Amino acid sequence: MYTATKDLKLPTTITGSLPRPGWYTENLSGRPFRVAMAEKNYREQYLDAVSCLIRDQERAGLDIVTDGDNRFDTDVGGRSWVAYVVQRLAGFTGYETSRKHAGWGSSVPGEIMYEVLEARVLPQVTGKVGPGPLEYPQLWRSAQQMTAKHVKFGSISADCLESIIPNHHYQSRRELVLDLCEVMHAEFARLAGAGCTVFQVEEPWVHRFEHHKEDKEMTMEFYVDAFNRSVRGLRDRLELWCHTCWGNPAQQRFYEAAKSYAPALEHMNALDVDVLTFECASTGGMDLEAIGKKITKPKVAIGVINHRGLQVERPEEVASLIRKALKYVPAERLCISTDCGFGREGMSRRHAFYKMVALTRGTNIVKKELGLPETHIPATESKFALADEE
Ligand SMILES: [Zn+2]
């Protein structure tokens, strides 16, 4: 169901992660969140960091905010996005360097992706996977208490997890995906039960499978079915987003060149979600016409900000991409976001902040053209500028 984007034309948000403040030096290091929160320094730094990252998003004028994925540790290449879950679920033990999910250049020293994978040391599956202290409700509450805006909470998908983790227990990969779907579904349901209004599942394997056809054990239909099992019933309780992009380990694309969503769009339209996101800024919106034709059920969120570059987009560039999308998707079905998260080590808070402001300024240009009310962006108010004027 629609909550945050209900009745809004061109609502704005980001994917999720934000660069950590420099003074936020504590890490969970595998501890359950509530155990860490019993420790004075962690509690103070965590809550202060969530608060200031939400404040940054409010100053940028975003409609829907995130907790910045603040639970994730500072590690190499965004490892925590996966590690947070597998360090806590039952069925995982030990540690092993994951060679799975290898992208271009990943097998050759001297390539950044080689180092990213080298550092992706993860517990391996050594037994039947089961629940563990993911504590999504507690994490969401910590953020939602800070703001009157909807907090969009994000989590890695079950099928994406399977594509990365070392498995030494399951004979059948399908069985592992389905068991992970059940474990993750139970946590998603707890989050909905806690009152979370917007939830985003990240990077299902559907759009990428087209480009991994050598994988004979899986099919696109299996991935769609597995994803839908993992989110069953959620749309009756909250607004469900599904994020897709072409990769973000250390801000890198998995593939040498930009890929097209076109072959996967029919299957993506079968995902049981309210909003589907698409990487568009980095590709100049090359798939927008096909997206407009094939994505008929969920709303479409386009990325208008590139998470892989430090050059801050001009509001006019953002506006021009939104105008292009509006040729194929009506304003009441179009949401504005970033291509992916800003990550923790890839860019500075300053870059991420001005990219968020460019996102809302660009959206305002189009809103004005359409006769829609413009959004107030506190960061653009000149009366608060610090420079001398006399
Ligand atoms: Zn992404």
Side-chain angles (χ1 to χ4, degrees):
M1 64 178 177
Y2 291 108
T3 58
T5 68
K6 189 169 183 281
D7 304 326
L8 278 187
K9 286 181 180 157
L10 309 182
T12 55
T13 189
I14 56 171
T15 299
S17 63
L18 280 165
R20 276 182 159 219
W23 45 261
Y24 179 20
T25 53
E26 294 285 329
N27 281 319
L28 278 175
S29 304
R31 289 175 294 175
F33 175 64
R34 273 180 291 174
V35 171
M37 285 290 276
E39 199 262 302
K40 175 182 173 291
N41 287 344
Y42 184 87
R43 188 183 187 94
E44 181 169 343
Q45 289 191 16
Y46 179 82
L47 291 176
D48 285 359
V50 173
S51 174
C52 78
L53 294 179
I54 286 178
R55 202 65 206 105
D56 281 352
Q57 294 170 77
E58 291 180 339
R59 282 176 61 224
L62 294 170
D63 293 311
I64 303 161
V65 300
T66 77
D67 67 356
D69 283 354
N70 224 26
R71 65 187 178 275
F72 295 155
D73 292 348
T74 42
D75 50 14
V76 175
R79 169 183 168 274
S80 270
W81 184 57
V82 184
Y84 178 84
V85 174
V86 299
Q87 284 177 325
R88 289 167 179 78
L89 293 186
F92 291 82
T93 56
Y95 58 94
E96 182 177 321
T97 301
S98 170
R99 302 299 302 161
K100 293 179 75 179
H101 207 149
W104 58 273
S106 56
S107 57
V108 189
E111 295 274 0
I112 186 171
M113 282 299 288
Y114 184 86
E115 185 171 335
V116 167
L117 286 175
E118 188 178 60
R120 198 177 266 174
V121 181
L122 297 169
Q124 54 211 284
V125 183
T126 53
K128 187 174 170 63
V129 298
L134 297 185
E135 305 194 306
Y136 285 179
Q138 287 80 4
L139 290 160
W140 168 75
R141 287 188 194 114
S142 301
Q144 189 64 78
Q145 66 174 325
M146 308 270 186
T147 179
K149 295 191 183 236
H150 293 272
V151 170
K152 176 163 64 76
F153 188 84
S155 167
I156 190 168
S157 71
D159 44 325
C160 191
L161 272 173
E162 188 281 331
S163 74
I164 299 171
I165 53 180
N167 165 29
H168 298 294
H169 177 74
Y170 286 80
Q171 296 293 318
S172 154
R173 285 177 51 208
R174 289 186 179 218
E175 201 186 325
L176 173 55
V177 170
L178 294 176
D179 276 4
L180 283 168
C181 284
E182 290 309 305
V183 171
M184 296 308 282
H185 174 263
E187 191 66 21
F188 299 166
R190 273 191 283 278
L191 182 66
C196 176
T197 52
V198 195
F199 174 51
Q200 173 174 280
V201 183
E202 292 157 1
E203 313 285 8
W205 211 236
V206 177
H207 62 305
R208 298 210 187 140
F209 187 68
E210 271 298 327
H211 306 288
H212 293 267
K213 284 274 175 71
E214 72 284 356
D215 182 353
K216 300 296 179 204
E217 192 177 342
M218 302 301 206
T219 61
M220 188 77 96
E221 289 72 20
F222 170 78
Y223 277 122
V224 172
D225 181 54
F227 179 90
N228 286 345
R229 281 190 199 205
S230 76
V231 299
R232 64 185 183 272
L234 287 179
R235 289 180 60 206
D236 297 333
R237 309 173 76 183
L238 46 68
E239 180 169 312
L240 183 61
W241 286 51
C242 172
H243 166 77
T244 77
C245 75
W246 299 111
N248 195 3
Q251 270 65 44
Q252 303 303 296
R253 213 174 28 224
F254 288 126
Y255 312 95
E256 203 143 359
K259 293 290 184 189
S260 170
Y261 283 106
L265 288 172
E266 263 179 39
H267 298 279
M268 294 176 80
N269 196 43
L271 294 174
D272 188 15
V273 297
D274 294 308
V275 184
L276 254 177
T277 80
F278 294 91
E279 175 168 341
C280 291
S282 77
T283 64
M286 71 174 179
D287 289 322
L288 280 169
E289 184 172 359
I291 289 169
K293 278 191 187 137
K294 300 281 174 134
I295 303 301
T296 53
K297 291 178 188 167
K299 288 186 181 179
V300 170
I302 55 164
V304 296
I305 298 290
N306 188 345
H307 59 289
R308 300 197 190 93
L310 294 183
Q311 183 69 40
V312 177
E313 287 79 357
R314 299 301 310 153
E316 294 75 18
E317 272 178 80
V318 170
S320 140
L321 194 50
I322 297 173
R323 282 188 211 107
K324 185 171 178 182
L326 283 171
K327 284 189 207 162
Y328 312 108
V329 183
E332 43 287 342
R333 288 190 56 238
L334 187 65
C335 310
I336 311 301
S337 187
T338 56
D339 275 358
C340 192
F342 291 116
R344 283 161 294 292
E345 61 163 9
M347 69 174 71
S348 70
R349 272 183 76 191
R350 196 178 341 276
H351 286 98
F353 178 73
Y354 286 102
K355 277 176 173 268
M356 294 192 290
V357 176
L359 187 158
T360 51
R361 288 176 72 197
T363 306
N364 267 353
I365 294 174
V366 178
K367 282 183 173 172
K368 192 174 181 184
E369 288 166 1
L370 297 177
L372 299 169
E374 290 173 64
T375 301
H376 175 228
I377 307 171
T380 62
E381 282 192 32
S382 56
K383 66 184 175 189
F384 299 129
L386 299 184
D388 289 335
E389 285 189 359
E390 58 272 28

